[in-house]
Amino acid sequence: MFKTVSIILLLTSLSLISCKKDIKSEKMNTKIVIAHRGASGYVPEHTMEAKAMAFAMNADFIEQDLVLSKDDVPIVIHDIYLDDVTDVATKFSNRKRKDNRYYVIDFTFKELQTLAVTERFNPKNGEQIYKKRFPKGKGNFKLHSLSQEIEMIQGLNAATGKNIGIYPEIKEPAFHKTAEKNLTEIVLKVLSNYGYNTKEDNCILQCFDAKELERIRVELKSELFLVQLMEFPEDSKKLKHFATYANGIGPWYKQILDKKIDGKFTFTSLVSDAHTLGLKVHPYTFRADALDEFSSFEEMMETLLIEANVEGAFTDFPDLVVAFLKNKS
Ligand code: G3P
Ligand code: CA
């Protein structure tokens, strides 16, 4: 009798352990890897090559920062400027503005396509920002439009059977508005043309400008999954309002970290506050070659993805985060 009870207890505890394991894997699988400007740790950011590499690395989402050209084509590029990732200063030296910068909106899509894209550099001294990445000035990379990138990602999804999503960002809507350009409306139209309309459509739309993201939900009635990007510490006081129109937040990862006590990180209440409001949390940017307060990339991933319990990460190194999460599941 005693033996039978012991066996039952043993089997019950084993099944509980395995049940716990299932719950853990399920939870881990909900964390998403967002290829930040593509696999930009390896190939110049926002090039089609960086996006194809991120796709092959099995990122869950691939990011597109968006700026309009002179002829209203949404271009995939991080800034409203061209001179820190292209050879515009050599090819169009007479097209700079008074501030010595070259602006995407001053060039047609046709002109933009003639530029060579390179690894990010400081336009004042020509120095490459991330020294150990793809060598500046090498290769044959070009700018492209949002439509071109969506067609590649959707084409690769069709050819591989994968279902990798897009994560576009409306860049500097106020700047575009001053130039009498409707970046948001144009981007929403392109997204809709390619089948991205609702939360089920594998597209997450992000913006730093809170007024614009709220306008996208309330005035433009978008049903897409919306992420409110956060830049400043005081943004954390606006969470309740963000939750009225957004589905998630994208904070700078340092907004999640608090003091280090006895060698262990502690956390601000940002993630738990967001979770209480039903918001997902996707911090930026996980860079294996810019660790700052972390002693290794492993420590950064463990601290933020597991201990702080966020739902995703923007990373220049999608392969490393995919492998980390796979190992945890
Ligand atoms: O969009 C989130 C992440 O990309 C951080 O912002 O400046 O790299 O576009 P940024
Ligand atoms: Ca971005």
Side-chain angles (χ1 to χ4, degrees):
M1 174 68 181
F2 177 74
K3 211 173 169 187
T4 316
V5 170
S6 304
I7 290 169
I8 290 170
L9 281 174
L10 181 68
L11 288 174
T12 311
S13 64
L14 279 176
S15 92
L16 276 175
I17 290 167
S18 101
C19 180
K20 257 189 191 161
K21 205 173 166 205
D22 286 348
I23 290 165
K24 194 177 165 211
S25 354
E26 220 184 345
K27 206 170 136 204
M28 292 310 172
N29 287 339
T30 65
K31 296 184 192 291
I32 59 165
V33 179
I34 308 143
H36 181 248
R37 312 180 198 174
S40 57
Y42 304 101
V43 185
E45 67 184 54
H46 282 317
T47 57
M48 211 63 114
E49 290 81 353
K51 305 308 173 81
M53 192 166 181
F55 190 100
M57 288 173 165
N58 288 326
D60 297 291
F61 287 83
I62 299 176
E63 189 199 31
Q64 301 79 29
D65 291 314
L66 299 168
V67 176
L68 278 187
S69 69
K70 189 176 185 175
D71 48 349
D72 288 342
V73 178
I75 305 298
V76 183
I77 185 167
H78 181 259
D79 293 303
I80 55 174
Y81 311 112
L82 289 161
D83 41 80
D84 44 13
V85 287
T86 74
D87 62 348
V88 66
T90 316
K91 286 212 175 87
F92 294 97
S93 58
N94 60 342
R95 301 273 291 274
K96 64 182 171 198
R97 291 193 186 184
K98 281 190 186 125
D99 61 359
N100 282 330
R101 307 290 320 246
Y102 296 81
Y103 287 71
V104 179
I105 58 162
D106 292 340
F107 294 82
T108 63
F109 182 40
K110 200 171 168 202
E111 288 173 328
L112 291 169
Q113 286 178 297
T114 67
L115 298 175
V117 174
T118 184
E119 184 61 35
R120 176 167 288 278
F121 62 97
N122 179 341
K124 288 189 182 138
N125 58 21
E127 269 184 35
Q128 182 164 335
I129 304 294
Y130 295 100
K131 306 279 189 283
K132 292 186 176 164
R133 294 193 181 182
F134 199 95
K136 182 190 150 210
K138 301 287 184 194
N140 177 26
F141 304 107
K142 299 288 176 194
L143 291 170
H144 60 267
S145 68
L146 173 62
S147 302
Q148 288 174 327
E149 183 165 331
I150 291 175
E151 286 186 16
M152 187 189 70
I153 293 171
Q154 292 192 343
L156 285 171
N157 276 335
T160 61
K162 293 185 194 175
N163 189 20
I164 288 174
I166 61 169
Y167 206 130
E169 178 182 345
I170 306 285
K171 278 281 170 190
E172 307 224 22
F175 167 83
H176 282 88
K177 203 170 169 205
T178 308
E180 296 184 350
K181 290 202 170 288
N182 285 325
L183 172 62
T184 300
E185 282 86 342
I186 292 169
V187 168
L188 287 175
K189 184 87 186 35
V190 173
L191 295 177
S192 181
N193 287 346
Y194 285 98
Y196 301 110
N197 293 296
T198 74
K199 290 182 193 67
E200 279 69 54
D201 294 331
N202 221 2
C203 169
I204 299 180
L205 186 63
Q206 47 166 340
C207 190
F208 275 104
D209 186 321
K211 276 206 177 103
E212 188 67 355
L213 200 68
E214 186 174 11
R215 187 176 82 89
I216 289 170
R217 177 71 83 218
V218 177
E219 202 181 300
L220 303 179
K221 307 212 179 311
S222 172
E223 291 173 30
L224 287 168
F225 192 106
L226 301 182
V227 163
Q228 179 62 62
L229 296 173
M230 296 166 60
E231 195 172 3
F232 307 109
E234 59 268 26
D235 287 344
S236 56
K237 295 192 191 110
K238 302 173 189 162
L239 276 194
K240 228 177 183 170
H241 182 62
F242 294 162
T244 64
Y245 59 87
N247 307 100
I249 53 167
W252 186 23
Y253 77 85
K254 285 176 194 279
Q255 292 173 296
I256 291 170
L257 296 176
D258 207 336
K259 288 186 206 88
K260 208 172 178 183
I261 300 171
D262 296 333
K264 275 205 75 70
F265 286 99
T266 62
F267 304 102
T268 65
S269 64
L270 183 65
V271 177
S272 57
D273 292 348
H275 287 169
T276 303
L277 292 162
L279 294 164
K280 303 280 188 207
V281 185
H282 300 162
Y284 61 87
T285 302
F286 288 50
R287 292 183 167 113
D289 56 355
L291 292 168
D292 206 354
E293 59 276 87
F294 297 106
S295 53
S296 66
F297 196 48
E298 181 78 19
E299 184 189 33
M300 181 180 196
M301 293 187 284
E302 186 73 32
T303 304
L304 294 165
L305 280 160
I306 308 302
E307 291 173 24
N309 196 25
V310 299
E311 283 79 26
F314 284 91
T315 179
D316 295 1
F317 297 86
D319 56 333
L320 302 183
V321 185
V322 167
F324 173 82
L325 289 174
K326 195 172 172 205
N327 198 33
K328 289 283 173 189
S329 64

